[in-house]
Structure formats: structure tokens, C-alpha cells
């Protein structure tokens, strides 16, 4: 077997070649020369993907609903983080923007990343802006 050359991935051709190489040697044993080379190439592939295929920010409301589902929460369980039943309904229905206070509470108590909660549009269908607490 020939020695695998590790170098930066700078274009689509090198990216595709890296994917083929990783797929071909996916079961390489960790800690071996081949396994270490495949691990390094995987990191280079991830870096290329992060640069050339960035993921759009998640939708804040979908992130809240996903977290609710993960934790087995109901709408009324969100009242302690967002306020009244009506406010929860408005936020989840995209009629009210999340306030900074709501975002802090959701981040701290439910572990939803701030970047997700601050995503453009803040979950509503109107022009993006951050509402004041209240």
C-alpha cells in the first residue's frame, strides 16, 4: 500500500478525493499510521466543509420545539421561561419575538445555544429585530 499524503484541501477535486479515501479506509485501526492519516484527512475535510458549505443558523422556534420534544415538555412547561400561556402561544406561533430575557432563560435552563436563539428573524416572519424585555 502506498503512503497517504496529508495536505490541505483547497478545492472540490481534493475534497472529493479525500471523501473517497476516508470511505475506502473507514475501518482503519485507531492509533496506526493509516488510522492517524485517515483521522487527519477527516479533520481537513470537515474544515473544508465548514468553509465552503456553512450550515445556516437553526430556526429558534424549531430549536425550542425540538428541545421540548427531547425533554418531554409541554407548552405549559415553557411558561416559567417565556411568561404566560398567551406569551408561549405567541412565541411558538411566531407572533411574538423572543426577548433577551427569554433567550437567556432558554439558554441557561434548556441549553439551547444563544447563536440559535439569536438567528436572523428570531423565529418570526417579520423583519428581524430583537425585542426589549417585557
Amino acid at each position: 500500500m502506498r503512503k497517504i499524503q496529508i495536505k490541505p484541501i483547497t478545492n472540490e477535486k481534493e475534497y472529493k478525493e479525500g471523501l473517497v479515501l476516508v470511505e475506502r479506509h473507514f475501518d482503519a485501526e485507531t492509533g496506526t499510521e493509516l488510522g492517524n492519516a485517515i483521522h487527519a484527512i477527516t479533520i481537513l475535510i470537515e474544515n473544508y466543509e465548514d468553509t465552503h458549505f456553512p450550515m445556516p443558523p437553526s430556526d429558534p422556534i424549531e430549536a425550542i420545539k425540538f428541545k421540548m420534544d427531547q425533554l418531554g415538555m409541554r407548552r405549559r412547561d415553557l411558561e416559567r421561561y417565556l411568561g404566560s400561556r398567551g406569551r408561549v402561544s405567541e412565541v411558538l406561533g411566531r407572533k411574538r419575538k423572543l426577548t433577551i430575557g427569554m433567550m437567556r432563560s432558554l439558554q441557561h435552563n434548556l441549553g439551547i445555544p444563544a447563536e440559535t436563539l439569536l438567528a436572523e428573524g428570531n423565529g418570526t416572519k417579520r423583519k428581524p429585530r430583537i425585542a426589549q424585555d417585557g
Side-chain angles (χ1 to χ4, degrees):
M1 183 173 93
R2 67 183 175 94
K3 190 168 179 128
I4 295 176
Q5 183 181 10
I6 299 173
K7 60 183 179 134
I9 296 174
T10 59
N11 59 50
E12 188 79 15
K13 181 178 180 265
E14 293 170 346
Y15 170 70
K16 288 180 180 178
E17 289 171 353
L19 290 174
V20 168
L21 191 60
V22 168
E23 185 176 333
R24 185 178 303 140
H25 299 289
F26 186 75
D27 59 351
E29 191 173 330
T30 305
T32 64
E33 187 175 341
L34 178 59
N36 291 340
I38 295 302
H39 180 75
I41 292 169
T42 302
I43 292 169
L44 293 169
I45 289 170
E46 289 173 356
N47 183 56
Y48 184 86
E49 290 174 342
D50 289 346
T51 303
H52 293 85
F53 312 115
M55 294 290 290
S58 296
D59 176 74
I61 303 308
E62 292 305 314
I64 293 168
K65 289 177 179 178
F66 179 76
K67 185 57 92 169
M68 288 173 63
D69 186 54
Q70 276 188 321
L71 300 174
M73 295 174 69
R74 293 178 291 197
R75 284 177 169 242
R76 75 169 164 224
D77 297 324
L78 283 181
E79 291 176 22
R80 72 182 101 183
Y81 311 119
L82 302 181
S84 67
R85 178 185 302 171
R87 186 166 290 165
V88 169
S89 178
E90 290 173 345
V91 167
L92 294 180
R94 300 176 188 275
K95 306 235 184 289
R96 176 186 281 269
K97 292 184 177 290
L98 293 167
T99 66
I100 296 295
M102 291 176 191
M103 290 181 212
R104 284 184 182 135
S105 182
L106 291 167
Q107 179 191 20
H108 178 73
N109 295 296
L110 299 182
I112 300 172
E115 308 81 53
T116 299
L117 296 169
L118 288 166
E120 186 163 328
N122 191 354
T124 65
K125 296 178 182 174
R126 297 184 301 233
K127 183 177 176 183
R129 78 172 177 78
I130 297 177
Q132 299 298 314
D133 281 333

